[in-house]
Amino acid sequence: KARCLLARYRKSGQPADLQTAQNTYQLALRAIAQLRQSFLARASKEELAQTVLPIYEGAIQCLYTEYAQNPQPELIEAAFQLAESNKAILLLEALNDNTAKSSAGIPDSLLRQEQRLRREIAFLEQKKAELQNKGARHSPKTDRIDRELFELYDTQQALIRRFEAEYPRYYQLKFDTQLSSIAQLQQQGLDPGAALIEYFVGEQSIYLFTIWAGEY
């Protein structure tokens, strides 16, 4: 729907069409954020990040199109946040997850159980990859590994849901994925005369952001 509205704007030139396209992309992005929090397995989140890439690209394209007509700094800020969020969110969640576990009062026994599950899952995933590289994509061994992985994933997800239900601070810290603003980067992350160059590589376009200490 958003892509159609953006295409319509290119023909009509009506600002209302562009604004409606932006609003539609924002609705999609909010839905993506809710989906991301409901997915527990990292592989699922990585797959989601790839699937939704065109939506992020379209939202950035809308902002860039409006900026070309009305060069307001807040449009660049919004586009930069979008460019950062889809690729940075997985790293932030991983870092926050470690912080949350150490700060939320989760008993050591449960943390050791979660670590053991991670090790067992990693071991089986490696074994499965080795078998598949040897051409055994469907065999009694890979089928057995798939069953064992399913059970481990199920146990892991149940444990994470327990963390989130019984230790609310864990959930709060884990999903605190606020990104730095351009102003924060300029004031705290860049030396005088230095610049940050950030890329967003979409399916149709590449966007480049250059942020200098003091300007962008």
Side-chain angles (χ1 to χ4, degrees), residues 46-154:
E46 291 174 348
E47 180 68 21
L48 177 65
Q50 290 299 316
T51 301
V52 303
L53 182 64
I55 298 176
Y56 279 83
E57 182 179 7
I60 293 172
Q61 190 175 34
C62 271
L63 291 165
Y64 178 79
T65 301
E66 183 176 355
Y67 183 81
Q69 303 295 325
N70 181 26
Q72 296 295 321
E74 57 266 24
L75 297 173
I76 293 296
E77 176 78 52
F80 177 74
Q81 291 290 327
L82 285 175
E84 284 287 272
S85 61
N86 193 40
K87 57 186 176 182
I89 201 75
L90 290 174
L91 176 60
L92 281 173
E93 285 185 3
L95 293 173
N96 288 353
D97 188 51
N98 291 330
T99 301
K101 287 172 185 172
S102 62
S103 305
I106 299 175
D108 290 343
S109 59
L110 292 179
L111 293 177
R112 286 194 296 269
Q113 182 182 351
E114 196 268 344
Q115 291 170 357
R116 177 180 58 78
L117 288 168
R118 284 179 182 268
R119 288 194 299 268
E120 291 179 2
I121 288 172
F123 174 76
L124 288 176
E125 286 179 340
Q126 181 180 354
K127 294 296 291 184
K128 181 180 177 180
E130 291 173 356
L131 290 171
Q132 289 178 336
N133 289 336
K134 295 177 181 178
R137 291 191 170 274
H138 298 288
S139 69
K141 287 185 178 180
T142 56
D143 290 344
R144 185 180 67 254
I145 290 175
D146 283 337
R147 289 193 297 271
E148 292 177 4
L149 280 172
F150 182 84
E151 292 177 359
L152 288 171
Y153 286 141
D154 191 54

Side-chain angles (χ1 to χ4, degrees), residues 185-199:
L185 289 172
Q186 290 173 319
Q187 295 168 8
Q188 303 172 12
L190 293 174
D191 295 327
L196 170 68
I197 299 177
E198 178 64 27
Y199 295 88

